[in-house]
Amino acid sequence: MLRNLRVLSLFFLIAALYSCQGNKVQEIPIVEFFKTPEKTNFKISPDGKYISYLKNYKLKQNLFIQSLVDGKERAATSFSDFAVRGDYSWTFDNQIVFSLDGTPHNVYLMFALDVNTLQKRPLLSEEKVNVRMVGRNKLTPDIITISMNKRDSANFDVYRLNVTNGELKPYLVNPGNITEWVMDADGRIRLAKASDGVDETILYRANDNAPFNPIIKNNFKNSVKPIAFTGVKNYFYALSNVGRDKTAFVEINAENGKEERVIYSSGTSDIQRVDYSKSKHRLELAAWEEAKPKKHFLNADIKTIYDNLSKQLGESEINITDRDTAEKKFIVTTYTDRSRGSVYLYERVTDKLIKLADNSDINPDELCTMQPIHYKASDGLIINGYLTLPLGDNKTNLPVVVMPHDGPFGARNSWEYKPEVQFLANRGFAVLQVNYRGSSGYGKAFYSAGFKEIGGKIQQDITDGVNWLIANKIANPKKIAIYGRGFGGFSALYGVSFHPHLYSCAVVQNGLISFFTYIQTAPAYYKPFLQKMYATIGDPEKDAAQLMAISPAFHPEKPVVPLFISQDAKDPRANLDDMNHYVSKLQKRNVQVKYSVNKNERGSVGNEKWRMQNYADIEKFLDNNIRVKP
């Protein structure tokens, strides 16, 4: 009997040990979250015979081409000093136009690549210019239309560029206030958007010989975004919130600016995207975001394609990102909140799906669900966001990382895979993402509620979210960090400066610390948007006292909790001198601050080795300051 009890006890002990081991969350290596996928930026040739993508060669992204006839892969470029930018494009005569990133002395280099011979030839070599692709068309396959601030750094003129011989011809001269050009199906620019920062005007011309005439005028709270001409009369499709709170998909008469009809609106959220097939001249779908992404199909054929894809890909969010001219072959991407997803080639005729790449090797079951949440702000406004809880049975009294998004305006958090969120949740932290007032997608009133509130109600929305977590016993009130990039970095520094007892520490990446510097150092081509920045953020002269009161650069005496600050030295919108001075002041006060500067990279381009070290340092920092020790 005693022997049987001992055996039974041993059995339960072993079972308990296995149970504990099964509940233990396996820490996933940092590199698995933040490494660049092996292949990215997939596109398909217009004739459907090739796919192209970016792939590492000697630690730099280069162009590769794979034949869909024999499956052979060829390296199309072999740059070892610079990377090929992700915004490359195919022409209609099987050439690829691409430019390089990270070139010295701010020289913009553009090339054309002949796919058959893999010979490349230079198209543009211009110092201190920005180039934007406007469009291409089948009628002139060797011509692309671009805009460039070559003549005047503050204005983008339009050019026609011959990709065969490199000939560059002026097409339209910017009178000084045009911020956007819109082509018709034949490659002619017939719509333009002008702005003085406060008022926005849509202009129309019937043909290349006619003058542009204003047809719609709005202030900056309203918006009309042209998409394409309908092919019927002189009507065009657009996204518009004129006369309504939520942006709708509409049809507008270009001759008088009158809205002819609403094609689709969600009623609860802004329509944010419309897919339109230029080769078929047809509408396909309207997309928007609620708690999760939503689609409404406008064409039966495209709905059938998505339905077929859903049968094979399950509940992943699915998007068609490219297609051949005949629309027989499609590039398809997927993702969920727990997976970066995969890339596929879909052959419509055979209903065949071929996987081209996995963007992550992590098993989604090892990651955490992003839960939509909402709460009332102090003034009663409903604030939405997302809460990601770590795996395990414990859902209360957790260490929390609050992650305000960058922006502040025209951006938001979405239901999607975000490596920082999953990395932190895997390490045992709950992660709160707040779509504070001013975030996009929630309508005009919610967007406008953030104006002149960057250091006021926007920050209070974030604070209210933290208090909501505490009140619901999700957060350990003594183990809360705030972590952000850009404007999110400002929010992090603001939080520890003006709510020092709410946060235990802060992590800042390329943080915005002075709104004076941010506005005054804006590139020349930001000029049409300056008045809008004054109206939404603040005027450096009229609102100087307010901007000084909220800018962390002027308050290095306030933070008392530990700080982790990382900075890309060449980030064009984050001022290194301001940050160096700020950190120096903190160090003189003996504030615990870990300061990391990446001297060789610009913006978020950072090389992979530095990126991995940066996140390893963040993990150590958070581990020391808010991890709940066993």
Side-chain angles (χ1 to χ4, degrees):
M1 180 68 178
L2 183 60
R3 183 175 179 274
N4 289 340
L5 286 174
R6 285 175 179 171
V7 171
L8 192 60
S9 297
L10 181 60
F11 171 80
F12 282 119
L13 177 60
I14 293 172
L17 287 172
Y18 271 105
S19 176
C20 290
Q21 186 67 25
N23 287 332
K24 184 178 179 181
V25 176
Q26 184 69 34
E27 285 198 357
I28 299 168
I30 290 174
V31 66
E32 294 300 322
F33 291 104
F34 299 108
K35 67 182 179 182
T36 302
E38 181 186 3
K39 299 176 182 180
T40 63
N41 299 82
F42 282 84
K43 298 183 182 181
I44 192 166
S45 62
D47 63 9
K49 294 181 179 179
Y50 303 95
I51 55 171
S52 57
Y53 44 88
L54 298 184
K55 181 179 173 181
N56 259 357
Y57 170 80
K58 293 186 177 181
L59 302 179
K60 297 295 181 182
Q61 294 278 77
N62 274 270
L63 263 173
F64 284 72
I65 297 171
Q66 181 180 341
S67 168
L68 294 179
V69 177
D70 57 21
K72 291 182 179 179
E73 176 190 79
R74 297 181 294 167
T77 65
S78 55
F79 296 102
S80 57
D81 295 326
F82 318 115
V84 176
R85 290 167 54 112
D87 57 355
Y88 73 91
S89 61
W90 284 85
T91 67
F92 281 105
D93 53 355
N94 262 25
Q95 298 183 75
I96 294 177
V97 176
F98 69 92
S99 55
L100 298 180
D101 198 19
T103 55
H105 312 299
N106 291 321
V107 176
Y108 183 90
L109 298 175
M110 179 185 280
F111 299 86
L113 175 79
D114 185 279
V115 175
N116 294 317
T117 65
L118 295 188
Q119 296 297 309
K120 61 180 183 294
R121 55 190 179 278
L123 294 178
L124 289 176
S125 178
E126 302 284 349
E127 289 189 18
K128 298 180 180 180
V129 303
N130 290 80
V131 178
R132 300 168 180 170
M133 179 69 71
V134 177
R136 56 178 188 162
N137 74 90
K138 289 184 288 186
L139 298 178
T140 53
D142 56 346
I143 302 293
I144 60 173
T145 304
I146 62 172
S147 64
M148 179 168 54
N149 59 342
K150 176 181 179 179
R151 176 186 60 86
D152 180 353
S153 61
N155 292 294
F156 283 80
D157 300 323
V158 185
Y159 299 83
R160 294 280 174 74
L161 176 62
N162 189 309
V163 299
T164 302
N165 58 27
E167 182 181 31
L168 185 70
K169 289 185 177 181
Y171 176 32
L172 286 168
V173 176
N174 194 328
N177 61 347
I178 303 297
T179 59
E180 185 179 342
W181 308 91
V182 182
M183 290 174 55
D184 66 11
D186 296 328
R188 300 169 299 182
I189 290 181
R190 296 172 61 200
L191 289 173
K193 181 183 288 188
S195 175
D196 63 4
V198 175
D199 293 323
E200 169 190 284
T201 303
I202 305 294
L203 304 106
Y204 163 75
R205 65 176 183 173
N207 54 62
D208 279 356
N209 297 317
F212 280 102
N213 293 310
I215 56 171
I216 301 172
K217 190 170 184 178
N218 297 308
N219 66 25
F220 63 89
K221 293 183 180 181
N222 296 304
S223 176
V224 174
K225 298 178 181 178
I227 296 170
F229 279 89
T230 67
V232 177
K233 300 181 180 179
N234 287 313
Y235 292 178
F236 65 91
Y237 299 121
L239 295 176
S240 172
N241 66 358
V242 176
R244 58 180 64 89
D245 181 59
K246 305 295 190 295
T247 298
F249 178 39
V250 302
E251 185 178 63
I252 296 174
N253 185 335
E255 293 182 357
N256 56 24
K258 180 184 176 182
E259 185 178 297
E260 295 293 328
R261 64 184 176 117
V262 174
I263 299 170
Y264 190 77
S265 63
S266 82
T268 60
S269 304
D270 294 327
I271 301 298
Q272 295 179 302
R273 186 186 100 225
V274 171
D275 285 2
Y276 175 78
S277 171
K278 293 182 179 179
S279 60
K280 299 289 186 181
H281 303 294
R282 73 178 184 202
L283 295 172
E284 294 188 340
L285 62 85
W288 68 99
E289 291 187 76
E290 294 178 6
K292 294 183 179 181
K294 300 285 186 181
K295 293 185 179 74
H296 174 77
F297 292 99
L298 300 163
N299 175 268
D301 288 342
I302 204 70
K303 184 179 186 302
T304 298
I305 291 175
Y306 271 91
D307 287 343
N308 291 340
L309 290 170
S310 294
K311 291 176 184 177
Q312 299 184 59
L313 296 172
E315 296 182 0
S316 294
E317 182 64 20
I318 300 167
N319 286 293
I320 293 172
T321 57
D322 201 15
R323 64 190 73 185
D324 63 358
T325 302
E327 298 197 356
K328 293 182 179 179
K329 297 175 182 177
F330 300 80
I331 300 293
V332 177
T333 62
T334 66
Y335 70 87
T336 70
D337 57 336
R338 297 187 298 153
S339 171
R340 188 177 280 170
S342 302
V343 184
Y344 299 87
L345 175 69
Y346 177 66
E347 297 180 353
R348 182 181 185 181
V349 175
T350 60
D351 194 29
K352 185 178 180 181
L353 197 64
I354 303 169
K355 182 178 286 189
L356 300 175
D358 278 320
N359 291 326
S360 175
D361 297 325
I362 304 174
N363 180 353
D365 292 338
E366 297 180 30
L367 299 179
C368 305
T369 302
M370 179 182 283
Q371 304 172 23
I373 56 105
H374 66 272
Y375 57 89
K376 276 189 178 182
S378 301
D379 62 357
L381 189 65
I382 298 297
I383 304 298
N384 290 274
Y386 298 92
L387 178 64
T388 303
L389 298 177
L391 296 179
D393 297 330
N394 182 21
K395 304 300 181 185
T396 61
N397 203 37
L398 294 166
V400 172
V401 179
V402 182
M403 290 187 66
H405 65 74
D406 199 357
F409 304 107
R412 60 167 288 162
N413 292 303
S414 301
W415 186 89
E416 62 186 352
Y417 178 85
K418 193 170 180 65
E420 289 89 349
V421 171
Q422 293 297 338
F423 164 61
L424 293 169
N426 179 253
R427 294 315 193 251
F429 304 112
V431 182
L432 174 67
Q433 298 170 272
V434 175
N435 281 334
Y436 48 73
R437 67 192 71 203
S439 299
S440 63
Y442 295 97
K444 185 162 49 181
F446 188 84
Y447 180 77
S448 303
F451 293 170
K452 294 289 188 77
E453 295 291 347
I454 52 173
K457 292 182 179 179
I458 284 178
Q459 303 309 318
Q460 187 59 46
D461 291 344
I462 299 169
T463 300
D464 290 338
V466 177
N467 289 329
W468 177 81
L469 288 178
I470 295 172
N472 284 277
K473 302 189 184 305
I474 297 168
N476 180 332
K478 296 181 179 179
K479 299 288 183 180
I480 300 175
I482 184 166
Y483 169 9
R485 178 188 299 274
F487 181 80
F490 159 75
S491 295
L493 289 173
Y494 183 96
V496 296
S497 296
F498 296 97
H499 300 283
H501 302 297
L502 191 61
Y503 300 106
S504 299
C505 61
V507 176
V508 178
Q509 293 177 314
N510 292 337
L512 195 167
I513 66 169
S514 170
F515 285 99
F516 291 99
T517 303
Y518 178 76
I519 294 172
Q520 291 168 356
T521 61
Y525 54 84
Y526 271 42
K527 183 179 178 181
F529 306 103
L530 280 179
Q531 292 299 321
K532 181 178 179 180
M533 291 175 70
Y534 295 166
T536 58
I537 294 176
D539 186 317
E541 294 184 6
K542 297 178 181 178
D543 302 312
Q546 176 192 354
L547 293 177
M548 186 174 293
I550 64 173
S551 293
F554 298 99
H555 303 284
E557 79 286 352
K558 289 189 176 296
V560 293
V561 299
L563 297 169
F564 180 95
I565 299 174
S566 62
Q567 181 74 39
D568 291 305
K570 297 181 181 179
D571 187 320
R573 300 300 287 127
N575 190 282
L576 185 62
D577 291 337
D578 282 350
M579 188 62 79
N580 286 341
H581 181 73
Y582 181 73
V583 170
S584 176
K585 291 287 188 180
L586 293 173
Q587 291 170 335
K588 287 180 180 179
R589 293 181 47 237
N590 294 318
V591 174
Q592 181 185 328
V593 54
K594 165 72 174 174
Y595 187 36
S596 176
V597 179
N598 180 11
K599 297 180 180 179
N600 299 316
E601 300 292 341
R602 175 169 54 90
S604 59
V605 176
N607 66 63
E608 197 160 283
K609 182 179 178 181
W610 188 86
R611 194 187 318 147
M612 300 308 164
Q613 184 59 55
N614 190 46
Y615 285 108
D617 291 342
I618 290 173
E619 178 179 9
K620 183 178 179 181
F621 175 81
L622 293 174
D623 186 62
N624 289 336
N625 288 286
I626 65 167
R627 185 183 291 276
V628 177
K629 308 298 181 182

